[in-house]
Amino acid sequence: MKHLRQLEDQSVYILREAYKHFDNLAMLWSMGKDSTVLLWLARKAFFGHVPFPLLHVDTSYKIPAMIEYRDRLAREWRLNLVVGQNKEALAAGMNHTMGRVVCCTALKTNGLKQLLENKGYTGVILGVRADEEGTRAKERYFSPRDKHGDWDFRDQPPELWDQYKTTFPPGTHIRIHPLLDWTEINIWEYIKLENIPFIDLYLDKGDGTRYRSLGCAPCTSPIKSTAKTVDDIIEELRHTTIAERSGRAQDEGRGMELLRKDGYM
Amino acid sequence: MSQTTKPSENLNIVIVGHVDHGKSTLLGRLYADTGSLPDGKLEKVQAICQQQGKEFEYAFLFDAFLEEQEQGITIDTARTFFMWKGRQYIIIDAPGHKEFLKNMISGAARAEAALLLIDALEGVKEQSKKHGYLLSLLGVRQFAVVVNKMDLVGYRQDVFDGIEKEYREFLGQFKAMPSQFIPVSAKLGDNIANRSKQMSWYSGPTVLETLSVFQKEAARSEQPLRLPVQDVYKFDARRIITGRITAGRLKVGDHLVFSPSNKRANIRTVEAFNIEPQPTEGQAGQSIGVTLDEQIFVERGEIASHQEQLPLVSTAFRANLFWLGKKPLEKGRKYLLRVATKEVDCEVATIHRIIDTMDLAQQQGSHTIGKNQVAELTLRTKIPVAFDLSASFETTGRFVLVDEYDIAGGGIITELVHDDQEFLREEARRRDFAWVKGEVTVEDRAQQYGHRAAVVLITGGRHTGKSFLARKLEGRLVADGRHAYLLDGENLRRGLDADLSEEERGQTTEMARRYGEVARLLTDTGLIVVSTTNPFGLAYREASQAIRTLVHPAPVIAVHMSKSEEEPPPNTDVVLSGPTDFNAATARVLDELKRRGVLAQAIGAKPIFQYSI
């Protein structure tokens, strides 16, 4: 529990730095466990308030239960929800059969870029974690993106102690990652500690399967699991040697490196 | 599996050392030998290697970028996670190539302990020394030295002993003390998780055992309190001052002093979301929020402490710095200084010496500090800053410099440099601590008057129109319904200063002190004081500095008038040169008063200044 409070203190500090330095700030919320913990941490940092909009990049292929959950929390927590969608690509019939990287780039990366451009956000808070996959392990807490939204991982700015990059040239933006130091287990331990409402797709409801990571319906598959409570999940994760995102098709080959260089979350 | 025990704490470890000495390999081996890799990870990387036709290396497990694998080097720091005996380790794999020193430093700055690798075959190299020196500068005091590739020297003890002796001597010059020297072969797994059969002459701990001996940093909560103000929130009825306690502890009822403004108040509540019952105290490491019993105006960058142990305040300090900027650090150029949450313009006053980290030789007389160099220097800030010496307080004793858009250097504060305002600042501090207040607060007056108190100080040489502008400005402010007063030096001369001798009246020091104290009293009444430096003649630069120190933290709006182009005094807000259109000049000063928040009342979710109740 002490380690969770340490993580919380660091994330809250980062969120407050972001709020102080960025006039046009937003937080990405995919309704998954990580970005929901992030949202909860924002309520911690700002004493029950969420003083910036929450962005959902809707690919239209999300599992329907996720949308219901989104709208319910938005009402109960009085959230300023902004939904973006790459309508052009959808109208042209974009889907995962055209290639996973192609589809993710069109509906998620470009959907996000359009949203950022239209609204002029200069700071975007994301719930990515370093233990999810290799390129995220190399992220900074405050990570700049250029005019095209691209990530120059070869030349990241220095980040020293609790001092972050908060100034940037016009036309560029900063991605802020308060959850970098959290692991998958930490997320569940914290959900339990704080009793955070989460979507029940993460639990086994009797058929011996559950989702470990949530994405679009066609590209995310459930895992075999009998975890019916948060405690069961934590216990299961302590013993598993299977990667968290093994059910995510986009991670195959060098998918994530290519996606993230071009501005994927 | 290693994750079966519940973690009690996190520990951040960085792995550093010269390029190719085997840092990523050590990390890969540590994970593989403790069963900490996810299923299929090893196989996936092995398949990629086969596809590209090269030998598998453990390093590829964490060098995630294609470019890193192709070149066989780590470009940027990777965080990896690892559970062992009830502790969660975040292991930071830092690059060793000198090209990526900024990434190594970014990684090491996050760490609480370090493993420093040296190749047994190559011995102590340039970056072995630089990294050792930087660990010390970055405040990473716990570390072990791992002598790798022992298999390549036939596991010989004399090679190991030679490296240990040479490197200990180097570290000893700046008093760094490693906890352990460990002979290993990361490639073959000797002394990583398992004890080596090849080196029976070594009886010390393995790398894994060494990690578990590293301590969580000594409790900073036993130190005197330091709470740098991060922000002030007014989302609802509560006015919450937030920040991360960097040292010490606080509780409800404590009397806090904010430096450098010398504002004081008691803690009324400690605020938190979803914590029952509501907390009443906080300690080092926590990001907290407090409300005060009095609505004082404090802002980001001030440091809250208890009155008995205040931080230092000055406009100058001496420091050890490392520079990472693409452009060299230049003496005399302006940079943004960040100490804890304070941001202020500064310049390099003196570069005392540049330190060569190879042999710790010193080079003097330089006017610039190049990329990846380490130096001793003195920095001078535009306005007074609160800070500590790094030897006593880690977080408030270090700083970074921002050049254009990027953090370009960092360092630790080694010495306070006395400036010419020191005596007046001390006087102001003693005066403010003993200041007796009535029931009416500064905020009450501001609400009543519709503006904040401030000093408009008009500087410049003789016959530049200072008095005329001052009169016009006073008239305009009062006509607009503001509470303004023209403080003319002549009125002090014959009265308050009547006891001074002719000689004393000719000197600036005491005259300026008295003038400043009168202005301080008037601002406490909530007035906008309009004045000129006329009584000080050509010594206006010195006088205006003294007045600033004494009225601090009331805002001073400095207006400089001259007949021709000339360099205005430092911190001038409005420059009026050449023939003056007094209506336009008045309007410019009014705009500046608005811009500084003196004439506006911003009440809302994100105020520019927190002056609301």
Side-chain angles (χ1 to χ4, degrees), chain B residues 193-225:
Chain B
N194 305 310
R195 188 153 288 282
S196 171
K197 291 192 180 70
Q198 312 290 337
M199 292 179 278
S200 51
W201 48 265
Y202 175 77
S203 58
T206 61
V207 170
L208 190 60
E209 285 160 355
T210 302
L211 291 182
S212 54
V213 176
F214 284 139
Q215 298 289 311
K216 192 75 194 164
E217 272 178 277
R220 293 198 194 120
S221 33
E222 301 315 313
Q223 287 188 293
L225 173 69

Short mmCIF file of all heavy atoms in Angstrom, two decimals, chain B residues 193-225:
data_model
loop_
_atom_site.label_atom_id
_atom_site.label_comp_id
_atom_site.label_asym_id
_atom_site.label_seq_id
_atom_site.Cartn_x
_atom_site.Cartn_y
_atom_site.Cartn_z
N ALA B 193 22.33 -13.67 -10.88
CA ALA B 193 21.37 -14.19 -9.90
C ALA B 193 22.00 -15.39 -9.19
O ALA B 193 21.71 -15.67 -8.03
CB ALA B 193 20.08 -14.58 -10.59
N ASN B 194 22.88 -16.08 -9.91
CA ASN B 194 23.50 -17.28 -9.36
C ASN B 194 24.99 -17.08 -9.12
O ASN B 194 25.67 -16.42 -9.90
CB ASN B 194 23.31 -18.45 -10.34
CG ASN B 194 21.84 -18.65 -10.68
OD1 ASN B 194 21.01 -18.73 -9.78
ND2 ASN B 194 21.52 -18.70 -11.97
N ARG B 195 25.47 -17.67 -8.05
CA ARG B 195 26.88 -17.57 -7.68
C ARG B 195 27.75 -18.26 -8.73
O ARG B 195 27.40 -19.31 -9.26
CB ARG B 195 27.04 -18.24 -6.31
CG ARG B 195 28.38 -18.09 -5.65
CD ARG B 195 28.22 -18.17 -4.15
NE ARG B 195 27.58 -16.96 -3.64
CZ ARG B 195 28.22 -15.80 -3.48
NH1 ARG B 195 29.50 -15.70 -3.77
NH2 ARG B 195 27.58 -14.75 -3.02
N SER B 196 28.88 -17.65 -9.05
CA SER B 196 29.76 -18.19 -10.09
C SER B 196 30.56 -19.38 -9.58
O SER B 196 31.11 -19.34 -8.47
CB SER B 196 30.72 -17.09 -10.56
OG SER B 196 31.70 -17.64 -11.39
N LYS B 197 30.66 -20.41 -10.42
CA LYS B 197 31.50 -21.55 -10.05
C LYS B 197 32.94 -21.28 -10.46
O LYS B 197 33.86 -21.92 -10.01
CB LYS B 197 30.98 -22.81 -10.75
CG LYS B 197 29.63 -23.28 -10.22
CD LYS B 197 29.30 -24.68 -10.73
CE LYS B 197 27.96 -25.15 -10.20
NZ LYS B 197 26.83 -24.38 -10.79
N GLN B 198 33.10 -20.28 -11.34
CA GLN B 198 34.44 -19.98 -11.88
C GLN B 198 35.26 -19.08 -10.97
O GLN B 198 36.45 -18.95 -11.15
CB GLN B 198 34.30 -19.29 -13.25
CG GLN B 198 33.35 -19.96 -14.21
CD GLN B 198 33.90 -21.27 -14.72
OE1 GLN B 198 35.12 -21.49 -14.71
NE2 GLN B 198 33.02 -22.17 -15.15
N MET B 199 34.58 -18.38 -10.05
CA MET B 199 35.31 -17.40 -9.25
C MET B 199 35.14 -17.67 -7.76
O MET B 199 34.53 -16.89 -7.03
CB MET B 199 34.83 -15.98 -9.59
CG MET B 199 35.22 -15.55 -11.00
SD MET B 199 34.64 -13.91 -11.45
CE MET B 199 32.96 -14.23 -11.94
N SER B 200 35.70 -18.78 -7.34
CA SER B 200 35.55 -19.17 -5.93
C SER B 200 36.29 -18.20 -5.02
O SER B 200 36.04 -18.13 -3.82
CB SER B 200 36.07 -20.59 -5.74
OG SER B 200 37.37 -20.67 -6.29
N TRP B 201 37.23 -17.43 -5.60
CA TRP B 201 37.98 -16.43 -4.82
C TRP B 201 37.09 -15.26 -4.39
O TRP B 201 37.47 -14.48 -3.53
CB TRP B 201 39.19 -15.91 -5.59
CG TRP B 201 38.90 -15.49 -7.03
CD1 TRP B 201 39.05 -16.27 -8.14
CD2 TRP B 201 38.41 -14.23 -7.48
NE1 TRP B 201 38.68 -15.57 -9.27
CE2 TRP B 201 38.28 -14.31 -8.89
CE3 TRP B 201 38.06 -13.04 -6.84
CZ2 TRP B 201 37.83 -13.25 -9.68
CZ3 TRP B 201 37.62 -11.98 -7.63
CH2 TRP B 201 37.50 -12.09 -9.02
N TYR B 202 35.90 -15.14 -4.97
CA TYR B 202 35.01 -14.03 -4.60
C TYR B 202 33.91 -14.54 -3.67
O TYR B 202 33.17 -15.46 -4.02
CB TYR B 202 34.40 -13.40 -5.85
CG TYR B 202 33.37 -12.32 -5.54
CD1 TYR B 202 33.78 -11.05 -5.14
CD2 TYR B 202 32.00 -12.58 -5.64
CE1 TYR B 202 32.85 -10.07 -4.84
CE2 TYR B 202 31.07 -11.60 -5.34
CZ TYR B 202 31.49 -10.35 -4.94
OH TYR B 202 30.57 -9.38 -4.64
N SER B 203 33.80 -13.95 -2.49
CA SER B 203 32.79 -14.43 -1.53
C SER B 203 31.71 -13.39 -1.25
O SER B 203 30.82 -13.62 -0.44
CB SER B 203 33.48 -14.82 -0.22
OG SER B 203 34.19 -13.68 0.27
N GLY B 204 31.79 -12.24 -1.94
CA GLY B 204 30.80 -11.17 -1.71
C GLY B 204 29.46 -11.48 -2.34
O GLY B 204 29.25 -12.57 -2.90
N PRO B 205 28.53 -10.55 -2.27
CA PRO B 205 27.17 -10.76 -2.78
C PRO B 205 27.11 -10.78 -4.31
O PRO B 205 27.95 -10.19 -4.98
CB PRO B 205 26.39 -9.57 -2.23
CG PRO B 205 27.41 -8.51 -2.00
CD PRO B 205 28.68 -9.22 -1.65
N THR B 206 26.08 -11.45 -4.86
CA THR B 206 25.81 -11.39 -6.30
C THR B 206 25.12 -10.07 -6.59
O THR B 206 24.77 -9.32 -5.67
CB THR B 206 24.86 -12.53 -6.71
OG1 THR B 206 23.62 -12.34 -6.01
CG2 THR B 206 25.43 -13.90 -6.39
N VAL B 207 24.89 -9.80 -7.87
CA VAL B 207 24.19 -8.56 -8.25
C VAL B 207 22.80 -8.53 -7.63
O VAL B 207 22.37 -7.53 -7.06
CB VAL B 207 24.10 -8.44 -9.80
CG1 VAL B 207 23.18 -7.29 -10.20
CG2 VAL B 207 25.49 -8.21 -10.39
N LEU B 208 22.10 -9.66 -7.71
CA LEU B 208 20.75 -9.74 -7.17
C LEU B 208 20.74 -9.49 -5.66
O LEU B 208 19.90 -8.75 -5.14
CB LEU B 208 20.16 -11.13 -7.48
CG LEU B 208 18.67 -11.32 -7.20
CD1 LEU B 208 17.84 -10.34 -8.02
CD2 LEU B 208 18.25 -12.74 -7.53
N GLU B 209 21.72 -10.08 -4.95
CA GLU B 209 21.80 -9.86 -3.50
C GLU B 209 22.13 -8.39 -3.19
O GLU B 209 21.62 -7.82 -2.23
CB GLU B 209 22.87 -10.77 -2.89
CG GLU B 209 22.42 -12.23 -2.78
CD GLU B 209 23.58 -13.22 -2.63
OE1 GLU B 209 24.76 -12.80 -2.72
OE2 GLU B 209 23.29 -14.41 -2.45
N THR B 210 22.96 -7.79 -4.03
CA THR B 210 23.33 -6.39 -3.83
C THR B 210 22.11 -5.48 -3.93
O THR B 210 21.95 -4.54 -3.15
CB THR B 210 24.40 -5.97 -4.87
OG1 THR B 210 25.51 -6.83 -4.73
CG2 THR B 210 24.85 -4.54 -4.66
N LEU B 211 21.24 -5.78 -4.92
CA LEU B 211 20.03 -4.97 -5.08
C LEU B 211 19.20 -4.97 -3.81
O LEU B 211 18.69 -3.93 -3.37
CB LEU B 211 19.16 -5.49 -6.24
CG LEU B 211 19.69 -5.34 -7.65
CD1 LEU B 211 18.68 -5.87 -8.65
CD2 LEU B 211 20.02 -3.88 -7.95
N SER B 212 19.07 -6.15 -3.21
CA SER B 212 18.18 -6.23 -2.04
C SER B 212 18.78 -5.55 -0.82
O SER B 212 18.08 -5.26 0.14
CB SER B 212 17.79 -7.68 -1.74
OG SER B 212 18.96 -8.45 -1.61
N VAL B 213 20.10 -5.28 -0.85
CA VAL B 213 20.74 -4.59 0.27
C VAL B 213 20.58 -3.06 0.15
O VAL B 213 20.66 -2.34 1.13
CB VAL B 213 22.23 -4.99 0.38
CG1 VAL B 213 22.93 -4.22 1.47
CG2 VAL B 213 22.34 -6.50 0.63
N PHE B 214 20.34 -2.57 -1.07
CA PHE B 214 20.15 -1.12 -1.23
C PHE B 214 18.96 -0.66 -0.39
O PHE B 214 17.91 -1.30 -0.37
CB PHE B 214 19.87 -0.75 -2.69
CG PHE B 214 21.10 -0.77 -3.57
CD1 PHE B 214 21.03 -1.29 -4.85
CD2 PHE B 214 22.30 -0.25 -3.12
CE1 PHE B 214 22.14 -1.30 -5.68
CE2 PHE B 214 23.43 -0.25 -3.94
CZ PHE B 214 23.35 -0.79 -5.22
N GLN B 215 19.14 0.45 0.29
CA GLN B 215 18.09 0.97 1.18
C GLN B 215 17.22 1.97 0.47
O GLN B 215 17.67 2.70 -0.40
CB GLN B 215 18.75 1.68 2.38
CG GLN B 215 19.59 0.80 3.25
CD GLN B 215 18.76 -0.18 4.04
OE1 GLN B 215 17.78 0.22 4.67
NE2 GLN B 215 19.11 -1.45 4.00
N LYS B 216 15.97 2.00 0.87
CA LYS B 216 15.10 3.09 0.48
C LYS B 216 15.73 4.34 1.10
O LYS B 216 16.23 4.28 2.23
CB LYS B 216 13.70 2.84 1.06
CG LYS B 216 12.62 3.73 0.53
CD LYS B 216 12.21 3.32 -0.86
CE LYS B 216 11.38 4.45 -1.48
NZ LYS B 216 11.25 4.31 -2.92
N GLU B 217 15.72 5.46 0.38
CA GLU B 217 16.43 6.65 0.87
C GLU B 217 16.06 7.03 2.29
O GLU B 217 14.92 6.91 2.69
CB GLU B 217 16.14 7.82 -0.04
CG GLU B 217 17.10 7.89 -1.20
CD GLU B 217 16.75 9.04 -2.10
OE1 GLU B 217 15.87 8.85 -2.95
OE2 GLU B 217 17.33 10.11 -1.93
N ALA B 218 17.05 7.49 3.03
CA ALA B 218 16.85 7.88 4.43
C ALA B 218 15.68 8.86 4.52
O ALA B 218 15.51 9.71 3.66
CB ALA B 218 18.11 8.52 4.96
N ALA B 219 14.92 8.69 5.55
CA ALA B 219 13.69 9.47 5.69
C ALA B 219 13.97 10.96 5.71
O ALA B 219 14.60 11.47 6.63
CB ALA B 219 12.97 9.04 6.95
N ARG B 220 13.51 11.65 4.68
CA ARG B 220 13.68 13.10 4.63
C ARG B 220 12.69 13.77 5.56
O ARG B 220 12.77 14.95 5.82
CB ARG B 220 13.44 13.59 3.21
CG ARG B 220 14.50 13.13 2.26
CD ARG B 220 14.46 13.98 1.02
NE ARG B 220 15.24 13.33 -0.02
CZ ARG B 220 14.74 12.96 -1.18
NH1 ARG B 220 13.48 13.19 -1.45
NH2 ARG B 220 15.49 12.38 -2.06
N SER B 221 11.73 12.99 6.06
CA SER B 221 10.71 13.60 6.91
C SER B 221 11.27 14.04 8.26
O SER B 221 10.63 14.78 8.98
CB SER B 221 9.53 12.65 7.09
OG SER B 221 9.94 11.33 7.08
N GLU B 222 12.50 13.59 8.59
CA GLU B 222 13.09 14.03 9.86
C GLU B 222 13.80 15.37 9.73
O GLU B 222 14.24 15.96 10.70
CB GLU B 222 14.07 12.97 10.39
CG GLU B 222 13.44 11.61 10.64
CD GLU B 222 12.10 11.68 11.37
OE1 GLU B 222 12.02 12.41 12.38
OE2 GLU B 222 11.12 11.02 10.93
N GLN B 223 13.91 15.87 8.50
CA GLN B 223 14.56 17.17 8.29
C GLN B 223 13.59 18.32 8.59
O GLN B 223 12.40 18.09 8.74
CB GLN B 223 14.98 17.27 6.82
CG GLN B 223 16.16 16.42 6.45
CD GLN B 223 16.61 16.75 5.04
OE1 GLN B 223 15.91 16.50 4.08
NE2 GLN B 223 17.78 17.36 4.95
N PRO B 224 14.08 19.57 8.65
CA PRO B 224 13.16 20.71 8.76
C PRO B 224 12.24 20.77 7.53
O PRO B 224 12.60 20.32 6.45
CB PRO B 224 14.09 21.92 8.79
CG PRO B 224 15.41 21.39 9.24
CD PRO B 224 15.49 19.99 8.71
N LEU B 225 11.06 21.34 7.73
CA LEU B 225 10.03 21.36 6.67
C LEU B 225 10.42 22.22 5.46
O LEU B 225 10.89 23.33 5.60
CB LEU B 225 8.72 21.92 7.25
CG LEU B 225 7.60 22.15 6.23
CD1 LEU B 225 7.06 20.83 5.70
CD2 LEU B 225 6.47 22.97 6.84
#
